[in-house]
Amino acid sequence: MANLKKYNEVFKSCFQIDETQFEGLTYQSVESWDSVGHMGLIAALEDAFDIMMDTDDIIDFSSYKKGIEILKKYDVNI
Amino acid sequence: MRIVDAFWEKRNLSVDCVEITIEKHDILSQLEEICNQLNTIDYVVVKVPVARIDINEYLTKLGFVFIEGSVNFQLNIKDAYLSPLQQRLNASISYSEMEENDLAQLYAEIEYGLFKTDRILLDSYFTEKQAAIRYINWIKDELERTTQAYKIVYKEDAIGFFTFKEVSENTYYPFLAGLYSKYANSGLGFTTLRKPIEEVLRRNGKLISTFASTNNPLVVRAHLQQGFTIGDTQYVYIKHNNKKV
């Protein structure tokens, strides 16, 4: 539960969105999730969970939902 | 004022085209005189410097449509910036000059819809196919001159491209760049600005001068994030004198 809260906070703060927008949230579905926003999101998640993601995972991180799956690889269960 | 017979648009778009660039100290009466002679030209493009409301109003009265702002971005290479995360990713991405098969891939990507915000594609008078053909012809023409085209590579896979030419001593113009469709949502778009910077460094150059459309705020934001500053901005107006039926 603590991880979910952290995960959500990162999305809210990076993209200036609220929780009602998480369902179906994908890369470029909101204006702020562009190439620059993506770098900000990944950097913030790495900080929040104290991990360093592989390039392939950063490339694949294409949605709110997909991100939850990817973080499992780093022992972050949401 | 500069007036150019853009004859290449006949081949690209099947229209007669004249492009007028208004300069800062031009007066309205000069433009009025020219516009009176352009009623038979299919497609007229007028580029206006900022804060020339007199000219903007005149063009609007004549039926011209505002289609985009064209922003000049400049970068002194010593001011180039990448975040620590971008530096980490950038280290695993390379670039190299394109060969024939790479160009074929680029042209296929353009036909597939690589560019989505240019003023030709957004203009309902023209088709997606025409916009794509125009880009391909532009690149082919430039490659005949002094331009090089480079592919951007991650794990031996081309993820995007940029074109590159020297426009004056130590100043370079990467006039087109983009990510290929497979990597469109990868977050690696920053490399299409970064790799030209590295090429300038390799050539001991100092400056990059390039343009982005206000119809593409993502690219505007990416330039600012990497340290580019805004030079001039032009407002672009268009008029079709032969309307489609």
Side-chain angles (χ1 to χ4, degrees):
Chain A
M1 198 61 188
N3 280 348
L4 177 63
K5 193 175 174 191
K6 259 200 241 181
Y7 187 73
N8 288 348
E9 284 305 317
V10 169
F11 273 84
K12 283 199 273 187
S13 134
C14 284
F15 299 143
Q16 307 296 308
I17 56 176
D18 59 53
E19 294 190 11
T20 61
Q21 294 172 271
F22 290 161
E23 182 65 35
L25 181 66
T26 58
Y27 188 96
Q28 289 194 354
S29 67
V30 290
E31 205 171 87
S32 46
W33 195 350
D34 61 359
S35 162
V36 175
H38 193 66
M39 292 297 111
L41 172 72
I42 300 296
L45 288 168
E46 289 190 340
D47 279 351
F49 296 109
D50 196 21
I51 56 173
M52 187 178 278
M53 293 168 65
D54 292 337
T55 303
D56 283 343
D57 290 328
I58 295 170
I59 291 172
D60 285 344
F61 203 113
S62 55
S63 69
Y64 172 87
K65 200 173 163 188
K66 180 83 181 174
I68 292 173
E69 265 176 55
I70 287 172
L71 288 185
K72 280 183 191 159
K73 290 188 191 177
Y74 300 89
D75 295 326
V76 176
N77 292 300
I78 292 171
Chain B
M1 184 182 309
R2 283 180 286 128
I3 302 163
V4 174
D5 172 10
F7 59 88
W8 54 88
E9 300 297 22
K10 189 75 179 175
R11 175 194 55 173
N12 296 336
L13 304 171
S14 307
V15 292
D16 295 318
C17 174
V18 168
E19 287 190 10
I20 300 171
T21 302
I22 308 290
E23 289 164 319
K24 199 176 172 185
H25 299 295
D26 288 341
I27 54 173
L28 180 58
S29 60
Q30 291 173 291
L31 179 63
E32 287 172 335
E33 199 177 310
I34 297 297
C35 279
N36 288 333
Q37 298 165 33
L38 295 178
N39 291 334
T40 57
I41 301 295
D42 298 328
Y43 179 51
V44 182
V45 180
V46 184
K47 297 176 179 175
V48 183
V50 295
R52 287 302 306 269
I53 307 306
D54 57 336
I55 289 178
N56 295 346
E57 283 178 348
Y58 173 71
L59 291 171
T60 304
K61 269 184 210 158
L62 286 190
F64 278 80
V65 173
F66 174 76
I67 197 146
E68 69 175 356
S70 175
V71 183
N72 173 229
F73 282 99
Q74 296 175 355
L75 177 74
N76 187 322
I77 294 304
K78 67 179 173 49
D79 298 326
Y81 172 80
L82 279 187
S83 71
L85 174 61
Q86 285 174 322
Q87 289 175 38
R88 203 172 88 212
L89 294 172
N90 189 54
S92 60
I93 293 164
S94 62
Y95 69 96
S96 60
E97 195 162 352
M98 282 189 178
E99 295 176 3
E100 280 305 314
N101 58 327
D102 301 313
L103 286 168
Q105 181 183 12
L106 169 60
Y107 300 150
E109 289 282 345
I110 291 173
E111 284 172 352
Y112 185 69
L114 178 62
F115 298 112
K116 297 181 173 62
T117 58
D118 74 280
R119 68 176 158 85
I120 302 300
L121 181 68
L122 294 177
D123 186 337
S124 59
Y125 190 93
F126 298 121
T127 64
E128 278 180 44
K129 192 176 175 186
Q130 283 176 305
I133 288 170
R134 182 172 177 267
Y135 273 117
I136 292 168
N137 285 338
W138 183 15
I139 293 168
K140 285 180 177 171
D141 287 347
E142 287 291 340
L143 291 175
E144 296 277 309
R145 299 181 189 125
T146 55
T147 290
Q148 286 86 46
Y150 294 88
K151 60 179 174 179
I152 301 171
V153 178
Y154 172 63
K155 287 187 173 175
E156 298 182 7
D157 201 13
I159 65 168
F161 86 103
F162 64 95
T163 56
F164 195 83
K165 68 175 177 181
E166 187 170 17
V167 284
S168 60
E169 195 180 356
N170 291 321
T171 302
Y172 294 86
Y173 175 27
F175 60 90
L176 282 175
L179 277 187
Y180 292 163
S181 50
K182 183 178 164 189
Y183 293 89
N185 294 338
S186 65
L188 297 178
F190 76 90
T191 60
T192 64
L193 304 188
R194 178 63 194 183
K195 294 306 177 188
I197 293 170
E198 291 174 12
E199 181 59 17
V200 174
L201 283 168
R202 195 185 68 79
R203 296 184 190 205
N204 293 318
K206 289 183 180 160
L207 297 169
I208 288 185
S209 178
T210 190
F211 295 87
S213 170
T214 51
N215 291 325
N216 193 348
L218 307 185
V219 165
V220 170
R221 204 154 93 98
H223 278 86
L224 294 173
Q225 189 266 331
Q226 288 196 43
F228 284 79
T229 56
I230 292 178
D232 289 336
T233 295
Q234 289 177 313
Y235 299 139
V236 182
Y237 287 81
I238 58 152
K239 187 177 181 191
H240 295 284
N241 285 314
N242 287 327
K243 299 285 181 201
K244 270 201 282 198
V245 232

